[in-house]
Amino acid sequence: MIPDEEFIQSKDVPGPTKEEIRCLVMCKAVISSEDTVVDVGCGSGGLTLEAACRARKVIALDKNPEAINLTRENLEKHGYHENVLLREGDALNILEDLESFQVLLVGGSSGDLSSIVTKGWSKLAPNGRIVVTSILMETRVEAVDVLKKLGTEPDVVEATIAKGKITPRGTLMMGRNPITIVSAVKGN
Amino acid sequence: MIPDEEFIQSKDVPGPTKEEIRCLVMCKAVISSEDTVVDVGCGSGGLTLEAACRARKVIALDKNPEAINLTRENLEKHGYHENVLLREGDALNILEDLESFQVLLVGGSSGDLSSIVTKGWSKLAPNGRIVVTSILMETRVEAVDVLKKLGTEPDVVEATIAKGKITPRGTLMMGRNPITIVSAVKGN
Amino acid sequence: MIPDEEFIQSKDVPGPTKEEIRCLVMCKAVISSEDTVVDVGCGSGGLTLEAACRARKVIALDKNPEAINLTRENLEKHGYHENVLLREGDALNILEDLESFQVLLVGGSSGDLSSIVTKGWSKLAPNGRIVVTSILMETRVEAVDVLKKLGTEPDVVEATIAKGKITPRGTLMMGRNPITIVSAVKGN
Amino acid sequence: MIPDEEFIQSKDVPGPTKEEIRCLVMCKAVISSEDTVVDVGCGSGGLTLEAACRARKVIALDKNPEAINLTRENLEKHGYHENVLLREGDALNILEDLESFQVLLVGGSSGDLSSIVTKGWSKLAPNGRIVVTSILMETRVEAVDVLKKLGTEPDVVEATIAKGKITPRGTLMMGRNPITIVSAVKGN
Ligand SMILES: Nc1ncnc2c1ncn2[C@@H]1O[C@H](CSCC[C@H](N)C(=O)O)[C@@H](O)[C@H]1O
Ligand SMILES: Nc1ncnc2c1ncn2[C@@H]1O[C@H](CSCC[C@H](N)C(=O)O)[C@@H](O)[C@H]1O
Ligand SMILES: Nc1ncnc2c1ncn2[C@@H]1O[C@H](CSCC[C@H](N)C(=O)O)[C@@H](O)[C@H]1O
Ligand SMILES: Nc1ncnc2c1ncn2[C@@H]1O[C@H](CSCC[C@H](N)C(=O)O)[C@@H](O)[C@H]1O
């Protein structure tokens, strides 16, 4: 995993997803070097970069042009831009255009999660994976609901990570926001 | 419980202990209106104020004069100063001087936890309670070890609290540092 | 707080709510000796008993007759039955009949949480408190939603508690299910 | 990751480490196909199997013969036994014999963690990684202490995972024991 501090960050763009959560998302996504991955809401590029070093191709999209720029900067910094296509725009519109792919990562959805997941699911290749990361209580539930409606039983993991900070007095446990990862595998 | 935001805070003094943790500490301390409570490392007065409205008398001590001042300000703001004695100085020295008491709260100990707990335990009245709050991995273990050596089996609770922040997009779960509360009841 | 192991338990009835969660619920409920408390879904009586030793009167209801019996047994075991009225039946029907009260605890709702909270809110006295405890992801969101619709901004606490088990090898941290406590105070 | 339920389990052997924790351990271990991995306290083979499909060679050891047998069964079930050497015996003795390796996983240590980590560290190749998984409060601290003494600043992650169980009533969040992962990278 790329260490958190090696990402260029910006006040105006969320992310990058922290190392331990990126790790769990990658586990659930099971990306192989044959796969095309779509990263919806690429933000700072946290997940885009991890996908880029595992997949054949990554399509990273965000409606915020600053997120697209920041993801580009991070890709360049780490030398991963060749297999990544960046697209600025709304998730639903862009998904509409795409051919089928193996993995859909959803890190942002601004109130439209059900439509994005439904549209994405329809484009998933057989045995494709969808992984939704959420920090909002409501998004978790929406992700579970829509996946159940699509006929699958999602895997739900809430991960609460604390990092130890080594200080002269001892190891201070620093809490992080709990993140929920909802994922599912499409049948074949 | 006093809401977190009603405490005067200072950059130079830790605390106040967050509402939910104060609540758990108070549960473990089982303070009655007959009790004398000693608060070692009163910091911002988070626990001192909660003890003050339950106990007959509170002795709050801190080696940092700014903590003593801040605790005084918070006591005055909430009108609780009559039954609280503030003492600036090192825990071990002050405990040495004290008569027996019913409850010992330890929120700070700077490397000297075993001695503080041992000294405090010797001054605890029959059925007295000791409650150690810790954010350091090492302190938890030291608290458990010294209490086991004193012949008791401590209660150990690690509390990881996330607070929901209501936003227009949904309820953002904000993580807090995990806190460990180690407590024990003295026999009679 | 009453220790967990001092409750009579039954395979067929959920609860009792664990000590640390009962403690947090009591903090949010701020029960005084003048208050009438309604406990919706009393289960094993975990919250009923805690309310009984703080309130003037408790009305504990459950649609499951075995829960009513178990709560009665636990009340008797701990000697608290005088100020507790047990009522078997559906929450919504029973709430309909009641006069106004100061505190509503909701520990069970079987799919009808919004109606129960809305009905309960309408019966809450000025400055009354409502506290919903939930183990289901969906219930948390429903509780937040309905309270927002009722014009209040709920307090949301997710509590993940681990208890240390003292063993010869060391202190084993035993995880518990994360519980979310959604609460609100009615204006006056 | 291999799903938890695909491991053969035994009442007499701990493990397998749960999927999400195996995932985090693998992230910290950064195993490449050139690496030799030593798994101290292989238990049910949870980490052994994950290492086996990433590394050139795995040496899995346990002092409990039943753990060795169970790990062998799990390796056979999943078809990974060719690059795994199983050794029954005490960690310290076996480590003594080994040539240098790239990754040391420590999942069990029965009171001897400092010696095992110190011995293992001395055998780590340049840029080698050590990853200690612990469920005991004391082990975490011991792992941090010994790694600090060896001149490195360990990475400390406490992971509290809850899994959602989809039920007709909703998504029940099931807590797991918090696990702490202490890791370090040797300089070159
Ligand atoms: N409907 C939508 N279409 C495209 N992007 C969206 C969107 N709704 C939200 N987003 C984007 O989703 C992002 C969520 S933050 C994502 C962080 C990212 N996973 C990282 O690790 O860096 C934001 O940048 C936001 O602009
Ligand atoms: N040996 C010692 N003697 C006295 N005070 C000590 C001490 N070691 C640490 N402290 C004090 O312990 C405090 C810990 S912070 C305590 C916060 C407090 N419980 C609150 O809720 O506001 C610090 O103010 C520190 O100065
Ligand atoms: N609509 C409804 N009306 C009445 N009781 C209900 C209900 N829906 C669920 N319940 C009850 O809610 C309970 C939830 S379990 C509550 C446990 C309790 N707080 C304790 O500490 O012991 C169950 O006993 C269930 O029968
Ligand atoms: N000093 C020592 N030498 C060898 N094995 C040891 C040891 N101390 C403890 N162990 C072993 O460490 C194991 C810890 S359980 C490990 C579980 C394993 N990681 C899995 O995923 O399946 C136990 O099987 C125990 O027998």
Side-chain angles (χ1 to χ4, degrees):
Chain A
M1 294 287 138
I2 302 164
D4 294 340
E5 60 274 15
E6 293 199 6
F7 283 88
I8 306 163
Q9 299 195 30
S10 155
K11 294 234 152 167
D12 304 320
V13 179
T17 306
K18 302 280 188 202
E19 179 186 336
E20 286 76 18
I21 303 299
R22 281 184 274 130
C23 161
L24 290 168
V25 170
M26 288 301 121
C27 285
K28 300 296 177 182
V30 205
I31 300 174
S32 88
S33 58
E34 309 294 299
D35 289 343
T36 296
V37 177
V38 178
D39 183 11
V40 167
C42 58
S44 307
L47 297 174
T48 308
L49 269 75
E50 298 296 346
C53 58
R54 289 164 172 84
R56 189 176 65 81
K57 187 179 164 188
V58 179
I59 300 159
L61 63 92
D62 206 294
K63 62 177 185 179
N64 178 358
E66 295 192 56
I68 296 293
N69 286 336
L70 185 56
T71 297
R72 182 179 295 114
E73 284 182 62
N74 273 311
L75 285 163
E76 280 166 5
K77 177 174 175 192
H78 293 89
Y80 290 131
H81 51 290
E82 284 181 24
N83 62 341
V84 181
L85 189 68
L86 291 170
R87 294 202 44 188
E88 181 193 326
D90 182 72
L92 216 49
N93 297 335
I94 295 176
L95 281 172
E96 186 63 53
D97 286 359
L98 296 177
E99 305 287 302
S100 91
F101 42 81
Q102 280 71 38
V103 177
L104 181 69
L105 307 176
V106 184
S109 58
S110 39
D112 216 11
L113 184 67
S114 300
S115 318
I116 291 170
V117 168
T118 304
K119 174 60 69 190
W121 188 255
S122 76
K123 299 264 174 159
L124 267 193
N127 300 314
R129 282 82 58 201
I130 185 165
V131 187
V132 180
T133 320
S134 95
I135 48 172
L136 295 174
M137 247 171 53
E138 289 80 3
T139 313
R140 302 160 187 196
V141 170
E142 199 178 342
V144 170
D145 278 353
V146 64
L147 286 165
K148 287 201 286 190
K149 272 187 204 122
L150 290 166
T152 183
E153 184 162 297
D155 179 272
V156 181
V157 174
E158 179 173 16
T160 306
I161 301 290
K163 287 283 289 193
K165 186 174 165 185
I166 312 284
T167 76
R169 293 167 45 228
T171 310
L172 198 52
M173 296 312 292
M174 312 289 289
R176 298 255 181 90
N177 296 347
I179 306 282
T180 299
I181 300 168
V182 179
S183 60
V185 181
K186 198 173 176 174
N188 46 18
Chain B
M1 293 287 138
I2 302 164
D4 294 339
E5 60 275 13
E6 294 199 5
F7 283 88
I8 307 164
Q9 299 194 29
S10 155
K11 294 235 152 166
D12 303 321
V13 180
T17 306
K18 301 281 188 200
E19 180 187 334
E20 286 76 17
I21 303 299
R22 281 183 273 130
C23 161
L24 290 167
V25 170
M26 288 301 122
C27 285
K28 299 296 178 183
V30 206
I31 300 174
S32 89
S33 57
E34 309 294 299
D35 289 344
T36 297
V37 178
V38 177
D39 183 12
V40 166
C42 58
S44 307
L47 297 174
T48 308
L49 269 74
E50 298 295 346
C53 57
R54 289 164 172 83
R56 188 175 65 80
K57 187 178 164 188
V58 179
I59 300 159
L61 62 92
D62 206 294
K63 61 177 185 179
N64 178 359
E66 296 193 56
I68 295 293
N69 286 336
L70 186 56
T71 297
R72 183 179 295 112
E73 284 182 62
N74 273 311
L75 285 163
E76 279 167 6
K77 178 175 173 189
H78 293 88
Y80 291 130
H81 50 291
E82 285 180 26
N83 62 341
V84 181
L85 189 69
L86 292 170
R87 296 203 41 188
E88 183 193 323
D90 183 73
L92 217 48
N93 297 335
I94 296 176
L95 281 171
E96 186 62 54
D97 285 358
L98 297 178
E99 305 286 303
S100 92
F101 42 81
Q102 281 71 38
V103 177
L104 180 69
L105 307 176
V106 183
S109 57
S110 38
D112 217 10
L113 184 67
S114 300
S115 319
I116 291 171
V117 167
T118 304
K119 174 60 69 191
W121 187 255
S122 76
K123 298 263 175 161
L124 267 194
N127 301 314
R129 282 82 59 202
I130 184 164
V131 187
V132 180
T133 318
S134 95
I135 49 172
L136 295 174
M137 248 171 51
E138 289 80 3
T139 314
R140 303 160 187 197
V141 170
E142 199 178 342
V144 170
D145 277 354
V146 64
L147 286 164
K148 287 200 288 191
K149 271 187 205 121
L150 291 166
T152 183
E153 183 162 297
D155 179 271
V156 180
V157 173
E158 178 174 15
T160 306
I161 300 290
K163 287 283 289 192
K165 185 173 164 185
I166 311 284
T167 77
R169 294 167 46 225
T171 310
L172 199 51
M173 297 311 292
M174 313 289 288
R176 299 254 182 89
N177 297 347
I179 306 282
T180 299
I181 301 167
V182 179
S183 59
V185 182
K186 198 173 177 175
N188 46 17
Chain C
M1 293 287 137
I2 302 164
D4 294 340
E5 60 275 13
E6 294 199 5
F7 282 89
I8 306 164
Q9 299 194 30
S10 154
K11 293 234 152 167
D12 303 321
V13 179
T17 306
K18 302 279 189 204
E19 179 186 336
E20 287 76 17
I21 303 298
R22 280 183 275 131
C23 161
L24 290 167
V25 170
M26 288 302 122
C27 285
K28 300 297 178 181
V30 206
I31 300 174
S32 89
S33 57
E34 309 295 300
D35 289 342
T36 295
V37 178
V38 177
D39 183 13
V40 167
C42 58
S44 307
L47 297 175
T48 308
L49 269 75
E50 298 296 347
C53 58
R54 291 165 169 83
R56 188 176 64 80
K57 186 178 163 188
V58 180
I59 299 158
L61 63 92
D62 205 295
K63 61 177 185 178
N64 178 358
E66 296 192 55
I68 295 293
N69 286 336
L70 186 56
T71 297
R72 182 178 295 112
E73 285 181 61
N74 273 311
L75 285 164
E76 279 166 6
K77 178 176 174 189
H78 294 87
Y80 290 132
H81 51 290
E82 284 182 24
N83 62 341
V84 181
L85 189 69
L86 291 171
R87 295 205 42 190
E88 182 193 325
D90 182 72
L92 216 49
N93 296 336
I94 295 176
L95 281 171
E96 186 63 53
D97 286 358
L98 297 177
E99 305 286 302
S100 91
F101 42 81
Q102 280 71 38
V103 176
L104 180 69
L105 307 176
V106 184
S109 56
S110 39
D112 216 11
L113 184 68
S114 300
S115 318
I116 291 171
V117 168
T118 304
K119 173 61 68 188
W121 188 255
S122 76
K123 299 264 175 160
L124 268 193
N127 300 314
R129 285 81 58 203
I130 185 165
V131 186
V132 181
T133 319
S134 96
I135 49 172
L136 296 174
M137 247 172 52
E138 290 79 3
T139 313
R140 303 161 187 195
V141 170
E142 199 178 341
V144 169
D145 278 353
V146 65
L147 286 164
K148 286 201 288 190
K149 272 187 204 120
L150 291 166
T152 182
E153 184 163 297
D155 179 270
V156 180
V157 174
E158 179 174 15
T160 305
I161 301 289
K163 287 282 288 194
K165 186 174 163 184
I166 312 284
T167 77
R169 294 165 47 225
T171 310
L172 198 52
M173 297 311 292
M174 312 290 288
R176 297 255 182 90
N177 297 346
I179 306 283
T180 300
I181 300 167
V182 179
S183 59
V185 181
K186 198 173 176 174
N188 46 17
Chain D
M1 293 288 137
I2 302 164
D4 294 340
E5 60 275 13
E6 295 199 4
F7 283 89
I8 306 163
Q9 299 195 29
S10 155
K11 293 235 151 167
D12 303 320
V13 180
T17 307
K18 302 280 190 202
E19 180 186 336
E20 287 75 19
I21 302 299
R22 280 183 274 132
C23 162
L24 291 167
V25 171
M26 289 301 122
C27 285
K28 300 297 178 182
V30 207
I31 300 174
S32 89
S33 57
E34 310 294 299
D35 290 342
T36 296
V37 177
V38 178
D39 183 12
V40 166
C42 58
S44 308
L47 297 174
T48 309
L49 269 74
E50 298 296 347
C53 58
R54 290 165 171 83
R56 188 175 65 81
K57 187 179 164 188
V58 179
I59 299 158
L61 63 92
D62 206 295
K63 62 178 186 178
N64 178 358
E66 296 192 54
I68 295 294
N69 286 336
L70 186 56
T71 297
R72 182 180 295 113
E73 285 181 61
N74 273 311
L75 285 163
E76 279 166 6
K77 178 176 174 189
H78 293 89
Y80 290 131
H81 51 288
E82 285 181 24
N83 62 341
V84 181
L85 189 68
L86 292 171
R87 294 202 46 188
E88 183 193 324
D90 182 72
L92 217 48
N93 295 336
I94 295 177
L95 282 171
E96 186 63 52
D97 286 357
L98 298 177
E99 306 286 301
S100 91
F101 42 81
Q102 280 72 38
V103 176
L104 180 69
L105 307 176
V106 184
S109 56
S110 39
D112 215 11
L113 185 67
S114 300
S115 318
I116 292 172
V117 168
T118 304
K119 173 61 69 188
W121 188 255
S122 76
K123 298 263 175 160
L124 267 193
N127 300 313
R129 283 82 58 201
I130 186 164
V131 187
V132 180
T133 319
S134 95
I135 48 172
L136 296 173
M137 247 171 53
E138 289 80 2
T139 314
R140 303 161 187 196
V141 170
E142 200 178 341
V144 169
D145 277 354
V146 64
L147 286 164
K148 287 200 287 191
K149 272 186 206 122
L150 291 166
T152 183
E153 183 162 297
D155 179 271
V156 181
V157 173
E158 179 174 16
T160 306
I161 301 289
K163 286 283 290 193
K165 185 173 165 184
I166 311 284
T167 77
R169 293 166 46 225
T171 310
L172 199 51
M173 297 311 292
M174 312 289 289
R176 298 253 182 90
N177 297 347
I179 307 282
T180 300
I181 300 167
V182 179
S183 58
V185 181
K186 197 173 177 173
N188 47 17

